């Protein structure tokens, strides 16, 4: 019923930039928190950044100063602007949405996107 489609990954050289996008669809009235997680080979999935409906943001230490998360509530879309990319940023990045209120006025989640691959070459 609620679907997230994330996109924008690709191959980039060290120091380059990418912008990830994720759009939520369905009978959505509002979304409390949207964010990005990543999972590198052999590693646990970890939070990169999230942002709530009022604009409060959390960043992983590794993302601070390099990544910027933003959202458009009217479009139910979240973005992750990544710059100064490093090989250690290589991972599958997953969009996340939680506290999703639909037409029945009940909040649901978490919901996940399908993942988009980010590869940073040295």
């Amino acid at each position: 019923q609620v679907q997230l489609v994330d996109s924008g990954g690709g191959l980039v050289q060290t120091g380059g930039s990418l912008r990830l996008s994720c759009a939520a669809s369905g009978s959505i009235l509002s979304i409390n928190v949207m964010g990005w997680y990543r999972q590198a080979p052999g590693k646990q999935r970890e939070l990169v950044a999230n942002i709530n409906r009022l604009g409060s943001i959390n960043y992983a230490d590794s993302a601070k100063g390099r990544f910027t998360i933003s959202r458009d509530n009217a479009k139910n879309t979240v973005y992750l602007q990544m710059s100064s990319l490093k090989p250690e940023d290589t991972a599958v990045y997953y969009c996340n949405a939680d506290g999703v209120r639909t037409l029945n006025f009940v909040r649901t989640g978490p919901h996940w996107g399908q993942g988009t691959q980010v590869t940073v070459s040295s």
Side-chain angles (χ1 to χ4, degrees):
Q1 188 171 357
V2 176
Q3 293 184 333
L4 276 63
V5 178
D6 41 24
S7 62
L11 175 63
V12 65
Q13 293 182 334
T14 297
S17 299
L18 287 171
R19 190 171 91 141
L20 308 183
S21 300
C22 173
S25 63
S27 300
I28 297 171
L29 298 177
S30 64
I31 302 172
N32 185 19
V33 181
M34 302 188 77
W36 293 93
Y37 291 71
R38 68 186 182 188
Q39 188 165 22
K43 302 294 184 180
Q44 294 181 328
R45 186 174 298 187
E46 64 177 0
L47 174 70
V48 179
N50 63 21
I51 179 170
N52 75 9
R53 192 168 183 271
L54 299 180
S56 295
I57 295 170
N58 293 305
Y59 289 108
D61 287 342
S62 61
K64 291 179 180 177
R66 300 188 300 125
F67 295 0
T68 301
I69 190 169
S70 61
R71 65 186 284 177
D72 185 333
N73 291 337
K75 297 181 179 179
N76 292 319
T77 300
V78 64
Y79 307 93
L80 185 68
Q81 178 67 50
M82 304 185 293
S83 61
S84 301
L85 284 163
K86 306 173 182 179
E88 49 263 47
D89 295 318
T90 296
V92 178
Y93 284 68
Y94 296 91
C95 179
N96 169 270
D98 205 357
V100 180
R101 179 166 287 189
T102 56
L103 288 178
N104 62 5
F105 291 90
V106 176
R107 295 192 182 277
T108 64
H111 304 278
W112 295 93
Q114 79 281 3
T116 184
Q117 176 71 49
V118 171
T119 302
V120 184
S121 63
S122 60

